[in-house]
Amino acid sequence: MHRYRTHTCGGLRKADSGNTVRLSGWVHRVRDHGGVLFIDLRDHYGLTQVVADPDSAAFKMAEKVRSEWVIRVDGKVRVRPEGTTNPEMPTGEVELYATEIETLSEAKELPVPVFGEPDYPEDLRLQYRFLDLRRETLHKNIMTRLAVIKSIRKRMEAAGFNEFDTPIMTASSPEGARDFLVPSRIHPGKFYALPQAPQQYKQLLMVSGFDRYYQIAPCFRDEDPRADRTTEFYQLDVEMSFVEQEDVFQTMEPILTGVFEEFAGGKTVTKGWPRIPYDEAIAKYGTDKPDLRNPIVMQDVTEHFRGSGFKVFANMIEKDPKVRVWAIPAPKGGSRAFCDRMNGWAQKEGQPGLGYIFWREEEGSAGAGPVAKNVGPERAAAIQKQMSLATGDACFFTAGDPARFYKFAGLARDEVARELKLVDGKAFALCWIVDFPFFEWNED
């Protein structure tokens, strides 16, 4: 018999009943049920329930083991008693009756428990990262990442791409952030730069005649971390020869759709990605990376406020031809409490507030709220009609130069959807954003 194991902790099944086996792993938890000890033994592959009763030769050792000890267990596989099976575990139909337990490594009291995955401060989790990485969620995330990369490689190679590795120590080149610099030992006073992207090398490959390039490329950018950006990350980097934009779409869309479908966990994935021009994305969603699971679409309602009694907006429109008024619909958000809550949210975001109209049965299409009172019933009804809203709905408004407020409008759109639970959490909604501007105007 092998020194440490004949099977993994995720490999035993009902067909193994009656066999003598050996397992090694970490003690996930220990339970004492009336003198009978149950040990959940864990390794990379899964969990197996180990049983030791007072008649077992391993019972005295089983009484000593604690969480995260590393042990070797010999025993006989048996079917669990009726009513005690666990259908959520691959090994849930069997258990290992222990005949011998050997301690391979003891563990002191844990500063960060592994079982149960309690929420601990990030600094403590990083200090004890070797324990944190034993948690089921993180272990699963890491293995999923590996599986995603494997799937990408398979699909890219099937599409005729070749994977290339490019140098990490390179010369500095203009990119979107600052470089991480590495001093040169043999060239004092000079520095290497870690690549923000493998731009120069992949272009060198393309002009050298290598037709289809891809790389799971490490990128390093010396910038402040954000929700969608970190100092070190990996990206799928792609180049193709003698192609147009449509060729890229036709090649990459099925690859990425297939990867999403493989790992979607039952969620729907967009078939036939919509192609949204940049300007349209900004006007409808307030961002060039819209969450299309959110059904809210913003619209321009400037003309309804031009010359209206709502002087705040009307005066802005009269003085500056760049000023537009955008409307953010809020289906089922037609209550003063919700509108006030959104107004308070806007103020926390550094804005003076959010104008709004909400429609109730009492006022009908004339709407309610300060904006409705000032624009009058006809304009309020026209806004309701344009936005396809009904009784019980609301609409929020932002005004000014869109170049200055579109990001806030996009955040407001997302906040309305979150508050009203409009986002479809059972879907991945993918799209192409096209026709990006080559330049942006700088007022300075």
Side-chain angles (χ1 to χ4, degrees), residues 214-270:
Y214 88 95
Q215 183 179 184
I216 310 296
C219 303
F220 307 89
R221 298 183 178 182
D222 185 8
E223 59 185 2
D224 295 335
R226 301 198 301 267
D228 61 349
R229 186 71 58 82
T230 184
T231 54
E232 178 182 354
F233 61 92
Y234 286 76
Q235 67 184 25
L236 172 59
D237 207 65
V238 180
E239 286 286 349
M240 302 167 65
S241 293
F242 304 110
V243 294
E244 298 180 309
Q245 177 175 272
E246 185 63 27
D247 298 306
V248 177
F249 290 163
Q250 293 296 329
T251 301
M252 296 307 301
E253 188 171 316
I255 291 173
L256 296 177
T257 299
V259 172
F260 269 86
E261 288 177 334
E262 185 176 348
F263 298 96
K267 296 182 179 180
T268 60
V269 180
T270 303

Side-chain angles (χ1 to χ4, degrees), residues 27-32 37-40 62-63 65-67:
V27 175
H28 195 56
R29 64 170 175 164
V30 181
R31 293 164 288 145
D32 186 342
L37 297 177
F38 293 88
I39 300 171
D40 290 338
E63 288 184 304
V65 301
R66 296 293 182 268
S67 292

Side-chain angles (χ1 to χ4, degrees), residues 142-162:
I142 290 171
M143 295 310 298
T144 298
R145 180 184 185 275
L146 296 177
V148 168
I149 291 175
K150 183 178 180 180
S151 177
I152 290 174
R153 286 193 167 111
K154 179 185 69 175
R155 296 172 191 277
M156 293 296 289
E157 288 165 11
F161 288 85
N162 294 301

Side-chain angles (χ1 to χ4, degrees), residues 267-325:
K267 296 182 179 180
T268 60
V269 180
T270 303
K271 297 281 192 179
W273 299 9
R275 299 176 188 182
I276 306 173
Y278 174 86
D279 289 341
E280 180 182 332
I282 296 298
K284 287 185 174 180
Y285 311 112
T287 177
D288 59 5
K289 43 184 179 293
D291 184 353
L292 298 182
R293 301 172 305 163
N294 174 356
I296 293 175
V297 176
M298 299 188 296
Q299 294 188 42
D300 189 320
V301 293
T302 306
E303 294 308 313
H304 298 302
F305 286 90
R306 189 184 302 276
S308 73
F310 192 66
K311 296 302 182 183
V312 176
F313 286 0
N315 291 341
M316 292 171 63
I317 295 167
E318 183 180 354
K319 291 178 182 178
D320 187 348
K322 291 183 180 179
V323 168
R324 312 304 296 172
V325 181

